[in-house]
Amino acid sequence: MSTVAELAAQIQQLSESEKHELMQLLMTDSDEPEQDADEAWRAEIVRRVKAIRNGEAAIRALQDWQE
């Protein structure tokens, strides 16, 4: 089995289009963790909206953060 360094050396030998194709393949293969991240962000947004509606958190204007 190739090491990461060996794979990196092999990747350098690829054409730009082959590198792009490989990148797309790797990104597609790693979609599962990204979906988990999307789900986590959705849950966090829901949590924050509920906190605002329940009066447990407040919204501050951007200008307030810059001062």
Side-chain angles (χ1 to χ4, degrees):
M1 184 148 197
S2 299
T3 66
V4 173
E6 291 170 336
L7 289 172
Q10 291 173 355
I11 290 169
Q12 294 305 314
Q13 302 301 313
L14 298 175
S15 69
E16 289 300 315
S17 63
E18 291 170 323
K19 288 177 185 178
H20 187 293
E21 186 178 340
L22 176 61
M23 182 177 67
Q24 291 294 330
L25 175 67
L26 292 171
M27 289 178 70
T28 302
D29 190 42
S30 65
D31 275 349
E32 191 64 37
E34 188 174 311
Q35 290 173 352
D36 291 343
D38 288 345
E39 186 176 322
W41 274 112
R42 278 189 208 94
E44 180 63 15
I45 291 167
V46 168
R47 185 192 69 77
R48 289 179 187 199
V49 168
K50 284 180 181 178
I52 292 168
R53 288 182 178 163
N54 293 336
E56 299 165 0
I59 298 175
R60 292 178 39 183
L62 180 60
Q63 293 85 3
D64 294 345
W65 288 94
Q66 295 173 341
E67 294 176 354

